[in-house]
Amino acid sequence: MADEKKKVFDVSLFKRLLQYIKPYRLVFFVSLVCVVGLAVFGVLRPLVLQKAIDEHVILKEYDGFLFYIIAMLVLLVLEVISQLLFIYYASWLGQSVVKDIRIKLYEHVLGFRMKYYDKSSVGVLITRTVTDMERIADIFGQGLFMIFSDMLKMLVVAAGMFYLNWKLSLIAFVTMPIVLFATKIFQKYMKRAFEEVRTEVSNLNSFVQERVTGMKILQLFTREDTEYKKFKAINERHKKGWLKTVWYNSVFFPIADLLSSITLGTIIWVGGYMVVFNTTASIGDLTAFIMFVPMLFRPLNQIANKFNTLQMGMVAADRVFKVLDTSSQIDDSGLTIASEFKGNLTFKEVHFSYVQDEEVLKGISLEVKAGETVAIVGATGAGKSTIINLLNRFYDIQQGTICIDNVDIKSLTLKSLRAQIAVVLQDVFLFADTIFNNITLKNPNISEAQVQQAAKDIGIHDFIMSLPNGYQYNVKERGVMLSSGQRQLISFLRAYVTNPSILVLDEATSSVDSYSEQLIQDATDKITKDRTSIVIAHRLATVQKADQIIVMNEGHIVEKGTHNELLKKQDGYYRNLYEVQFLKAEAV
């Protein structure tokens, strides 16, 4: 928190933020012109009124009076137009800058390696991309320009007052330090209150999000009453935080209005005395000052909140730029574009660890020939899925080499490498979209006819057509409208329709029913034919037909061979796994 306070008005940070204004220089200039217009036109109105009263109303001189009335009207219209243009263009500029930063941030985040996401909170990234961006927009719409506008208006008003009558001006200038002191105290306490409110809002959002996501568990274990009481407590703290801001506002603004009213009353009293007894002030001066005083004090009263808005925007900008400055990209310096693989895979003495000094793969070596189906089995944590992560270069190895068709995968472009490898994961992620879009991921090169033919090939076309709207059926968030087996079938079709050179099934049948598993088994037999395939599974029924089975344990390859070869090994690791899974099942 201390670092954030130091950087609230960091000049280098502010300059960096202003770099994003360069494409919108014209709009920035128009906004500044409007700010100047607001100050000048606002100050000219009281001065014109003073002339009208002193030169025409008091003297009862009609000639030329209409000119001042029209001038007042024109100035009012110009002030309204300036304010309209200022509000629109300042907000437009803020949203345009935010759009550019958000796009840059999202593009940057898309390139992060998986290691970054392993250690980072998804909620924090969402906050940076959404909430913090809106605070940056407020710098232009409600912070920077508004503060500049108010300060310029105050300076011009003060100059106008001093020009008109310096003696009456001194009365207003004497009370200003008191208002400034009160504003400083108000800003201090409001900052604390807003920090408390933001903390409670964060707690409230986290609580609600987590409980809504886990609603099934709450209802299964009848925890509704307990969670309701917790929510009431958090909501009460949130209310108290907001009431503090209401209390500070209810104290400060009446005091500020009181000081403004006392100043105005004193000016009327002293000015009236001067008009009556020594003619050092006129009725026009007095009328102009009645208009000037609110114009001088109103911006002063609001400036604390605007500084707070600017401050929070700068803190948000600092957070966003920290993400932009994070270097966590996979090295994509490869120049070779892989158009199509034959499918020969080679791992040579591959070492890898997610955490330093805690190796997951401990120098494994394996070869997969083109067109082979290779199964990788082993206990949880043996390193099976890690092999797939490394093959797709979600992570980079510390030692050794991984080659496809005798070409080091680091020499290939990431996009072309991953385009040739299709992966079906155990935990299927579907977007809140149609089945068709979830299969193609909006790839314009894949038509609905191709998808339907692929679905027929693997035997799931009838299942999809049985749903309302068929391929246009919206599966909602994370595919909640489908069963786990149905989601797995969609994921399988998603991989198949891309016609990959290498197919990976990572625990693809571990969470499906027997009917869906049979569909996938039939489809697997079809699409793995003459295609290099890697099958990772706990359930050994899915790997018996593999050309080669690789058995892993604690980061090492402990056995290799076909199903029958491995079963012949007395006390073999694979044989023990097989007996545990099948002999017990047969007994049941």
Side-chain angles (χ1 to χ4, degrees), residues 435 460-475 481-483 486 490:
I435 286 180
I460 67 171
H461 175 72
D462 292 340
F463 141 64
I464 296 175
M465 293 306 295
S466 69
L467 299 171
N469 299 321
Y471 288 86
Q472 299 305 317
Y473 179 62
N474 194 310
V475 299
M481 303 304 291
L482 302 176
S483 70
Q486 290 171 332
I490 297 301

Side-chain angles (χ1 to χ4, degrees), residues 128-148:
R128 298 291 173 269
T129 311
V130 181
T131 308
D132 284 341
M133 287 297 178
E134 292 307 317
R135 288 180 181 172
I136 294 174
D138 289 341
I139 291 177
F140 301 96
Q142 301 176 30
L144 176 67
F145 283 122
M146 293 299 288
I147 291 171
F148 180 68

Side-chain angles (χ1 to χ4, degrees), residues 302-518:
Q302 300 292 336
I303 211 162
N305 281 338
K306 290 164 186 174
F307 264 117
N308 192 54
T309 299
L310 177 62
Q311 185 182 57
M312 291 303 102
M314 292 295 287
V315 170
D318 185 47
R319 290 170 177 168
V320 169
F321 286 140
K322 279 181 179 177
V323 178
L324 281 171
D325 292 338
T326 300
S327 179
S328 186
Q329 276 72 25
I330 288 284
D331 178 21
D332 190 14
S333 57
L335 300 176
T336 305
I337 298 176
S339 57
E340 187 175 356
F341 293 137
K342 291 178 181 178
N344 293 295
L345 302 180
T346 308
F347 282 65
K348 295 180 182 177
E349 291 296 323
V350 173
H351 292 259
F352 174 75
S353 58
Y354 293 103
V355 180
Q356 191 173 0
D357 299 326
E358 294 182 17
E359 280 196 332
V360 177
L361 298 183
K362 303 171 182 178
I364 69 165
S365 297
L366 64 92
E367 288 188 21
V368 181
K369 295 178 181 179
E372 276 191 345
T373 296
V374 174
I376 304 176
V377 300
T380 301
K384 304 185 301 297
S385 295
T386 298
I387 290 177
I388 307 310
N389 289 331
L390 299 180
L391 183 61
N392 282 279
R393 290 199 66 204
F394 289 133
Y395 302 86
D396 274 337
I397 59 178
Q398 279 85 42
Q399 280 182 257
T401 58
I402 301 175
C403 297
I404 300 178
D405 297 340
N406 297 318
V407 177
D408 192 325
I409 59 173
K410 289 186 178 181
S411 67
L412 304 172
T413 63
L414 272 178
K415 188 173 182 180
S416 68
L417 169 68
R418 293 173 180 171
Q420 295 298 319
I421 303 173
V423 181
V424 179
L425 299 171
Q426 174 185 357
D427 184 18
V428 179
F429 187 93
L430 297 182
F431 296 93
D433 208 329
T434 64
I435 286 180
F436 175 72
N437 286 336
N438 269 289
I439 293 168
T440 64
L441 297 178
K442 299 189 177 179
N443 185 339
N445 297 320
I446 303 175
S447 67
E448 186 164 349
Q450 288 175 287
V451 171
Q452 290 190 21
Q453 185 57 52
K456 290 174 183 176
D457 290 344
I458 64 174
I460 67 171
H461 175 72
D462 292 340
F463 141 64
I464 296 175
M465 293 306 295
S466 69
L467 299 171
N469 299 321
Y471 288 86
Q472 299 305 317
Y473 179 62
N474 194 310
V475 299
K476 304 301 180 183
E477 188 175 358
R478 297 187 68 89
V480 294
M481 303 304 291
L482 302 176
S483 70
S484 59
Q486 290 171 332
R487 290 197 295 271
Q488 195 65 266
L489 289 169
I490 297 301
S491 176
F492 201 86
L493 180 56
R494 176 196 288 169
Y496 175 52
V497 79
T498 60
N499 192 28
S501 299
I502 299 172
L503 178 69
V504 178
L505 304 180
D506 188 358
E507 305 285 3
T509 61
S510 62
S511 61
V512 301
D513 55 73
S514 57
Y515 174 72
S516 298
E517 182 177 357
Q518 187 57 51

